[in-house]
Amino acid sequence: MAYITAILVVTLLFFMALFWAAAEGERLGRYLALVGSLAALLAAALLLNRGGYYRPAATLAVAAALVGPWASMALDPRILQGDLIPLAYTAVPVFLASLLLSARHTALVAGVQIALLFAVSQWGVGEPSGNWPSLIFLLAFIGILNLIAARLARLDLDQIERQGMELGAQKSRLQAIIDSSPLAISVKDLDGRYLLVNRFFRKVWGLDGESVIGSRDADLFSLDGCRFHGAADGEVRMGGAPLEVEETVHRPEGEQAWHTYKFPLKDDRGSVYALGAVSTDVTERKRREEAVRAELGEQRKSIERAAEFQRRQTVSRVPCLPGLACAAVYEPSERLGGDFLYLEGHAGRLLLVAADCTGHGLAASITAALLKSLVDRHLTLLQAGNPDAFLSRTGRDVGRYFPPGQYPVMFAALFDPSSGALRYANANYPLPWRVLGGRSRRLASARGMHLGFDEDTHFAVQDCVLEPGESLLVSSDALEEIIVDGVNQFPEPALTAALSAWKGGVRQNLADLCEAVARVHPFPLQDDLSIVLLERLAPVHGAWTGATPAALAGIRTDVERLMERGGCLDLEKQVAAANLAAFLSDAWTHGASKLDLELDFDGATLALSVRDRSATGWAAPWVESVRECPPFHGGSGKSAPMIPRWSEERQSLVWSCDRIAPQVLSAQELLRRPGVGHA
């Protein structure tokens, strides 16, 4: 303890000055001997203090101060004869004891001094002339004050010791906690000197614990390491706010990526006094992220390939057949779906298969692809007019090849547009709706379980006839399962209300239905959506007599209206009307004056005939020139020239073309452009 050393030195100097001033002659020699002895005691106390023996050193110093005044009494007889001033220094050991020893020892020293003074005053040699009671009371008073001071000092020292021990324990706990952390933790002062680091910090950077504290980055690391450890220090210090940085540092074992959270440490006044940093080695995480990104990229490519495969597996266009108007929507709830549609014309009849596999996404799409292969295997049964046998054979294969618990539902039908005959069988698919004149009803039930549920399941077959102008809506259960907060947002009454409002062709009616659904839930829906809407068309016929250039605009409007009744797309209507207008204008230019026009459309083929009833008749050069008119897009989106031909029977020029096979669109595409077809 440095303060004990200072006390011993001051005590020694005090006694030397005291005795030197008081002694003379023979007394001086005796006092010098006394001072030498006291100096030896104090020197011994000093050596003990230097050696760390604080309590023996303090005891020896108090003993020297205790001996000094009483030894001077033995050396100087005048003290007992009334020169009491040297005895006043008997208070010095009491004072020293209050500083260096416990309160109990201070009281003991004070009691000894008072007892000795009292004994000397009563039994001392000679007749004292001094005021001994005052001296005794002075020493007693000083002793009491020093005792109180010693007690208070001891209490303060005990509290300081406890606080020191508590702080030491807290520091040890803090160090133990951060040493147990797998993160690199450090604290610097504002001069960049390290105040605290944990074991992991030292291990990672290969540092010795003793050399780190008090050092700067430049003392410990290379230039690259200094850049890493000093990154953003100034910004955090000036801004007074935490900051996260990611840095790459070059190490002998390779590049390492670290994520560091730096934060300011502030005092009670809010002033920054140090900077803390917690660093995490994210090298492995970065590698895993890169691997995951690469894997996700491959998965996305696989999903895109699967989606393309599913697009090729699923019907892309609806067939065009005489007496039939048809439109379809297919929209999975995810990138891939488990719904399956098959629409194909065969011998003037429509083959229709709609299926729904369990689940959504990639897994469901794989199941749907497998189901498509099974459907292709047994299509001849449906073509032969046996939808029940078709479902039975397909269901048997589903039970054989599908995973357990996978039981798709399916509706299979054969429709003859010319007669309206519809033959169908059902494997628990939602029953289609018949719609005519604003009224709607379900098809009659056709008994049958899920495909693959039981190998011996018998599927009933049903027959009905659709009247001219009657529509059939075939839809998956997505429309019946728009559930939000446990409430069906599009129940059957809402569906029938939407069906009763139909007034246009199949394309427009389907767009109106999707718009009604979109008002309660945006597309895509919660489940995969498949809709097929077909209508048995009555033949469309129009006739115009004595057409003149003045009537061209009205004729063009009438043609578009008639084609719309037949379910034609806007593109088809516009191109046909434009070709007709060009045809008529060319005829009038070549001298034709009285033209009779007829339009016939059966849902698959558009035919126009033009007869000239004027006196001049058809001009032969013009008849040859119209054969070179621009080609018109025909069926399946392929280019098919619409070349006029001469009909001797009708004495007319007649030209015709197959209509465009409409695409199967998503509901969102249909709502964006309900009347547009894409070749």
Side-chain angles (χ1 to χ4, degrees), residues 136-178:
I136 293 173
F137 280 115
L138 173 64
L139 183 59
F141 182 70
I142 291 175
I144 292 172
L145 291 180
N146 283 317
L147 186 62
I148 294 172
R151 182 57 180 168
L152 294 177
R154 176 48 54 187
L155 292 175
D156 291 340
L157 288 174
D158 289 344
Q159 184 176 0
I160 292 172
E161 287 180 2
R162 285 195 301 271
Q163 291 176 346
M165 292 175 63
E166 185 176 349
L167 288 174
Q170 290 179 355
K171 183 178 179 180
S172 298
R173 285 196 295 269
L174 175 61
Q175 190 67 47
I177 290 171
I178 65 173

Side-chain angles (χ1 to χ4, degrees), residues 410-460:
M410 181 178 289
F411 176 80
L414 187 68
F415 177 59
D416 185 353
S418 60
S419 64
L422 176 70
R423 168 166 278 206
Y424 62 93
N426 192 27
N428 236 12
Y429 196 85
L431 280 173
W433 290 85
R434 300 176 64 173
V435 185
L436 178 64
R439 293 181 298 173
S440 58
R441 57 193 172 100
R442 296 267 193 185
L443 281 179
S445 177
R447 178 175 49 83
M449 298 294 293
H450 288 61
L451 294 180
F453 187 78
D454 187 350
E455 192 173 288
D456 298 325
T457 297
H458 173 72
F459 295 93

